[in-house]
């Protein structure tokens, strides 16, 4: 489950819990409305574990690498102090910041590669070293003497 999916999940669940919807009911509603089948399956599995008597944080931990350790730690803290909705809201803010950071990094990488791509399309003679951009990036294109 990606950062964006985690953020949406936390926001929806936090809102439902604040509104008085029980945890299992909230999970079932979110699972029923989620279009991403992988996310839906994960939420259904979490709900199943809780129905079996496990804590929400334990059910999240059982999902393995779908949720980072900080996610499960914050959920566990929310359960301990009886403020799961508040902790989910805080987690939503954290995940939103992570999502924005990831998008900025991708944008920056795209911005850095754009001049390289432009330079390769401006060359009067085609590259003869094969694997085009990969070799340019690795500076292994030895048969092009001037750039």
């Amino acid at each position: 489950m990606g950062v964006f999916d985690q953020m949406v999940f936390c926001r929806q669940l936090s809102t439902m819990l604040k509104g008085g919807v029980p945890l299992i009911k909230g999970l079932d509603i979110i699972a029923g409305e989620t279009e991403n089948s992988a996310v839906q399956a994960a939420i259904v599995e979490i709900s199943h574990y809780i129905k079996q008597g496990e804590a929400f944080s334990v059910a999240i931990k059982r999902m393995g690498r779908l949720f980072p350790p900080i996610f499960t730690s914050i959920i566990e803290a929310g359960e301990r102090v009886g403020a799961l909705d508040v902790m989910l809201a805080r987690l939503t803010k954290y995940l939103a910041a992570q999502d924005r950071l990831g998008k900025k990094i991708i944008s920056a990488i795209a911005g850095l590669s754009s001049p390289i791509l432009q330079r390769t399309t401006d060359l009067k003679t085609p590259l003869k070293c094969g694997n085009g951009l990969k070799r340019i990036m690795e500076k292994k294109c030895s048969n092009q003497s001037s750039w």
Side-chain angles (χ1 to χ4, degrees):
M1 186 180 301
V3 173
F4 181 79
D5 293 323
Q6 292 172 5
M7 179 188 64
V8 171
F9 170 70
C10 286
R11 181 179 296 136
Q12 291 175 332
L13 190 56
S14 173
T15 301
M16 288 187 196
L17 293 176
K18 282 180 188 173
V21 176
L23 178 61
I24 293 173
K25 178 80 171 166
L27 291 170
D28 291 343
I29 290 170
I30 294 169
E33 294 184 8
T34 300
E35 294 179 10
N36 183 326
S37 60
V39 172
Q40 183 180 40
I43 296 170
V44 167
E45 192 170 346
I46 291 167
S47 179
H48 172 76
Y49 289 132
I50 295 170
K51 288 173 186 173
Q52 297 291 321
E54 293 190 12
F56 183 41
S57 59
V58 174
I60 294 286
K61 284 179 187 175
R62 281 181 165 260
M63 300 310 297
R65 297 185 328 188
L66 283 180
F67 297 98
I70 190 167
F71 191 101
T72 55
S73 296
I74 291 173
I75 297 295
E76 189 173 15
E79 288 175 325
R80 283 186 190 161
V81 299
L84 187 56
D85 60 334
V86 173
M87 297 307 271
L88 283 166
R90 288 183 183 171
L91 190 52
T92 298
K93 289 178 184 177
Y94 169 79
L95 293 168
Q98 290 294 311
D99 186 55
R100 281 191 305 273
L101 178 62
K103 287 176 181 173
K104 284 181 182 179
I105 290 170
I106 289 170
S107 178
I109 290 171
L112 290 173
S113 64
S114 186
I116 293 170
L117 293 173
Q118 182 63 42
R119 179 67 179 132
T120 60
T121 58
D122 287 347
L123 291 174
K124 293 186 175 155
T125 57
L127 294 175
K128 297 177 183 173
C129 62
N131 255 354
L133 185 59
K134 180 180 178 187
R135 294 212 182 197
I136 292 169
M137 299 294 277
E138 294 173 355
K139 296 183 180 181
K140 291 184 178 179
C141 190
S142 61
N143 62 345
Q144 295 292 326
S145 59
S146 65
W147 290 89

